[in-house]
mmCIF file with all atom_site columns, all heavy atoms in Angstrom:
data_model
loop_
_atom_site.group_PDB
_atom_site.id
_atom_site.type_symbol
_atom_site.label_atom_id
_atom_site.label_alt_id
_atom_site.label_comp_id
_atom_site.label_asym_id
_atom_site.label_entity_id
_atom_site.label_seq_id
_atom_site.pdbx_PDB_ins_code
_atom_site.Cartn_x
_atom_site.Cartn_y
_atom_site.Cartn_z
_atom_site.occupancy
_atom_site.B_iso_or_equiv
_atom_site.pdbx_formal_charge
_atom_site.auth_seq_id
_atom_site.auth_comp_id
_atom_site.auth_asym_id
_atom_site.auth_atom_id
_atom_site.pdbx_PDB_model_num
ATOM 1  N N   . ARG A 1 20 ? -2.082 -38.725 -0.761  1.00 98.00 ? 99  ARG A N   1
ATOM 2  C CA  . ARG A 1 20 ? -1.240 -38.378 0.387   1.00 98.00 ? 99  ARG A CA  1
ATOM 3  C C   . ARG A 1 20 ? 0.021  -39.234 0.445   1.00 98.00 ? 99  ARG A C   1
ATOM 4  O O   . ARG A 1 20 ? 0.848  -39.051 1.345   1.00 98.00 ? 99  ARG A O   1
ATOM 5  C CB  . ARG A 1 20 ? -2.036 -38.543 1.692   1.00 98.00 ? 99  ARG A CB  1
ATOM 6  C CG  . ARG A 1 20 ? -3.157 -37.529 1.883   1.00 98.00 ? 99  ARG A CG  1
ATOM 7  C CD  . ARG A 1 20 ? -3.633 -37.484 3.332   1.00 98.00 ? 99  ARG A CD  1
ATOM 8  N NE  . ARG A 1 20 ? -4.210 -38.729 3.787   1.00 98.00 ? 99  ARG A NE  1
ATOM 9  C CZ  . ARG A 1 20 ? -5.511 -39.057 3.704   1.00 98.00 ? 99  ARG A CZ  1
ATOM 10 N NH1 . ARG A 1 20 ? -6.365 -38.185 3.191   1.00 98.00 ? 99  ARG A NH1 1
ATOM 11 N NH2 . ARG A 1 20 ? -5.952 -40.215 4.144   1.00 98.00 ? 99  ARG A NH2 1
ATOM 12 N N   . GLY A 1 21 ? 0.173  -40.182 -0.485  1.00 98.00 ? 100 GLY A N   1
ATOM 13 C CA  . GLY A 1 21 ? 1.363  -41.028 -0.510  1.00 98.00 ? 100 GLY A CA  1
ATOM 14 C C   . GLY A 1 21 ? 1.302  -42.161 0.505   1.00 98.00 ? 100 GLY A C   1
ATOM 15 O O   . GLY A 1 21 ? 2.314  -42.815 0.764   1.00 98.00 ? 100 GLY A O   1
ATOM 16 N N   . GLU A 1 22 ? 0.111  -42.424 1.068   1.00 98.00 ? 101 GLU A N   1
ATOM 17 C CA  . GLU A 1 22 ? -0.021 -43.487 2.066   1.00 98.00 ? 101 GLU A CA  1
ATOM 18 C C   . GLU A 1 22 ? -0.169 -44.857 1.409   1.00 98.00 ? 101 GLU A C   1
ATOM 19 O O   . GLU A 1 22 ? 0.077  -45.879 2.053   1.00 98.00 ? 101 GLU A O   1
ATOM 20 C CB  . GLU A 1 22 ? -1.243 -43.223 2.951   1.00 98.00 ? 101 GLU A CB  1
ATOM 21 C CG  . GLU A 1 22 ? -1.127 -41.962 3.778   1.00 98.00 ? 101 GLU A CG  1
ATOM 22 C CD  . GLU A 1 22 ? -2.445 -41.549 4.444   1.00 98.00 ? 101 GLU A CD  1
ATOM 23 O OE1 . GLU A 1 22 ? -3.448 -42.290 4.343   1.00 98.00 ? 101 GLU A OE1 1
ATOM 24 O OE2 . GLU A 1 22 ? -2.462 -40.460 5.036   1.00 98.00 ? 101 GLU A OE2 1
ATOM 25 N N   . LEU A 1 23 ? -0.618 -44.876 0.160   1.00 98.00 ? 102 LEU A N   1
ATOM 26 C CA  . LEU A 1 23 ? -0.733 -46.113 -0.609  1.00 98.00 ? 102 LEU A CA  1
ATOM 27 C C   . LEU A 1 23 ? 0.024  -45.922 -1.915  1.00 98.00 ? 102 LEU A C   1
ATOM 28 O O   . LEU A 1 23 ? 0.048  -44.812 -2.457  1.00 98.00 ? 102 LEU A O   1
ATOM 29 C CB  . LEU A 1 23 ? -2.207 -46.431 -0.917  1.00 98.00 ? 102 LEU A CB  1
ATOM 30 C CG  . LEU A 1 23 ? -3.103 -46.795 0.266   1.00 98.00 ? 102 LEU A CG  1
ATOM 31 C CD1 . LEU A 1 23 ? -4.552 -46.949 -0.203  1.00 98.00 ? 102 LEU A CD1 1
ATOM 32 C CD2 . LEU A 1 23 ? -2.629 -48.079 0.929   1.00 98.00 ? 102 LEU A CD2 1
ATOM 33 N N   . PRO A 1 24 ? 0.632  -46.987 -2.443  1.00 98.00 ? 103 PRO A N   1
ATOM 34 C CA  . PRO A 1 24 ? 1.399  -46.850 -3.690  1.00 98.00 ? 103 PRO A CA  1
ATOM 35 C C   . PRO A 1 24 ? 0.487  -46.783 -4.910  1.00 98.00 ? 103 PRO A C   1
ATOM 36 O O   . PRO A 1 24 ? -0.661 -47.230 -4.876  1.00 98.00 ? 103 PRO A O   1
ATOM 37 C CB  . PRO A 1 24 ? 2.225  -48.143 -3.723  1.00 98.00 ? 103 PRO A CB  1
ATOM 38 C CG  . PRO A 1 24 ? 1.418  -49.122 -2.942  1.00 98.00 ? 103 PRO A CG  1
ATOM 39 C CD  . PRO A 1 24 ? 0.665  -48.342 -1.891  1.00 98.00 ? 103 PRO A CD  1
ATOM 40 N N   . SER A 1 25 ? 1.011  -46.200 -5.964  1.00 97.00 ? 104 SER A N   1
ATOM 41 C CA  . SER A 1 25 ? 0.334  -46.248 -7.262  1.00 97.00 ? 104 SER A CA  1
ATOM 42 C C   . SER A 1 25 ? 1.408  -46.134 -8.327  1.00 97.00 ? 104 SER A C   1
ATOM 43 O O   . SER A 1 25 ? 2.498  -45.628 -8.055  1.00 97.00 ? 104 SER A O   1
ATOM 44 C CB  . SER A 1 25 ? -0.687 -45.117 -7.412  1.00 97.00 ? 104 SER A CB  1
ATOM 45 O OG  . SER A 1 25 ? -0.021 -43.873 -7.529  1.00 97.00 ? 104 SER A OG  1
ATOM 46 N N   . THR A 1 26 ? 1.093  -46.611 -9.522  1.00 98.00 ? 105 THR A N   1
ATOM 47 C CA  . THR A 1 26 ? 2.052  -46.496 -10.623 1.00 98.00 ? 105 THR A CA  1
ATOM 48 C C   . THR A 1 26 ? 1.705  -45.239 -11.415 1.00 98.00 ? 105 THR A C   1
ATOM 49 O O   . THR A 1 26 ? 0.888  -45.259 -12.326 1.00 98.00 ? 105 THR A O   1
ATOM 50 C CB  . THR A 1 26 ? 2.011  -47.747 -11.520 1.00 98.00 ? 105 THR A CB  1
ATOM 51 O OG1 . THR A 1 26 ? 0.651  -48.039 -11.809 1.00 98.00 ? 105 THR A OG1 1
ATOM 52 C CG2 . THR A 1 26 ? 2.624  -48.934 -10.817 1.00 98.00 ? 105 THR A CG2 1
ATOM 53 N N   . THR A 1 27 ? 2.332  -44.152 -11.023 1.00 98.00 ? 106 THR A N   1
ATOM 54 C CA  . THR A 1 27 ? 2.019  -42.836 -11.563 1.00 98.00 ? 106 THR A CA  1
ATOM 55 C C   . THR A 1 27 ? 2.490  -42.711 -13.011 1.00 98.00 ? 106 THR A C   1
ATOM 56 O O   . THR A 1 27 ? 3.607  -43.105 -13.341 1.00 98.00 ? 106 THR A O   1
ATOM 57 C CB  . THR A 1 27 ? 2.726  -41.758 -10.711 1.00 98.00 ? 106 THR A CB  1
ATOM 58 O OG1 . THR A 1 27 ? 2.273  -41.883 -9.377  1.00 98.00 ? 106 THR A OG1 1
ATOM 59 C CG2 . THR A 1 27 ? 2.439  -40.363 -11.226 1.00 98.00 ? 106 THR A CG2 1
ATOM 60 N N   . VAL A 1 28 ? 1.620  -42.158 -13.855 1.00 98.00 ? 107 VAL A N   1
ATOM 61 C CA  . VAL A 1 28 ? 2.030  -41.840 -15.221 1.00 98.00 ? 107 VAL A CA  1
ATOM 62 C C   . VAL A 1 28 ? 2.042  -40.325 -15.458 1.00 98.00 ? 107 VAL A C   1
ATOM 63 O O   . VAL A 1 28 ? 2.648  -39.858 -16.420 1.00 98.00 ? 107 VAL A O   1
ATOM 64 C CB  . VAL A 1 28 ? 1.144  -42.522 -16.291 1.00 98.00 ? 107 VAL A CB  1
ATOM 65 C CG1 . VAL A 1 28 ? 1.257  -44.033 -16.198 1.00 98.00 ? 107 VAL A CG1 1
ATOM 66 C CG2 . VAL A 1 28 ? -0.304 -42.098 -16.183 1.00 98.00 ? 107 VAL A CG2 1
ATOM 67 N N   . TYR A 1 29 ? 1.394  -39.557 -14.555 1.00 98.00 ? 108 TYR A N   1
ATOM 68 C CA  . TYR A 1 29 ? 1.372  -38.104 -14.714 1.00 98.00 ? 108 TYR A CA  1
ATOM 69 C C   . TYR A 1 29 ? 1.017  -37.478 -13.367 1.00 98.00 ? 108 TYR A C   1
ATOM 70 O O   . TYR A 1 29 ? 0.180  -37.997 -12.637 1.00 98.00 ? 108 TYR A O   1
ATOM 71 C CB  . TYR A 1 29 ? 0.325  -37.684 -15.758 1.00 98.00 ? 108 TYR A CB  1
ATOM 72 C CG  . TYR A 1 29 ? 0.299  -36.201 -16.014 1.00 98.00 ? 108 TYR A CG  1
ATOM 73 C CD1 . TYR A 1 29 ? 1.250  -35.597 -16.818 1.00 98.00 ? 108 TYR A CD1 1
ATOM 74 C CD2 . TYR A 1 29 ? -0.678 -35.388 -15.424 1.00 98.00 ? 108 TYR A CD2 1
ATOM 75 C CE1 . TYR A 1 29 ? 1.244  -34.223 -17.039 1.00 98.00 ? 108 TYR A CE1 1
ATOM 76 C CE2 . TYR A 1 29 ? -0.693 -34.023 -15.646 1.00 98.00 ? 108 TYR A CE2 1
ATOM 77 C CZ  . TYR A 1 29 ? 0.269  -33.454 -16.452 1.00 98.00 ? 108 TYR A CZ  1
ATOM 78 O OH  . TYR A 1 29 ? 0.265  -32.099 -16.658 1.00 98.00 ? 108 TYR A OH  1
#
Side-chain angles (χ1 to χ4, degrees):
R99 291 196 297 269
E101 296 169 5
L102 293 175
S104 70
T105 47
T106 301
V107 297
Y108 183 78

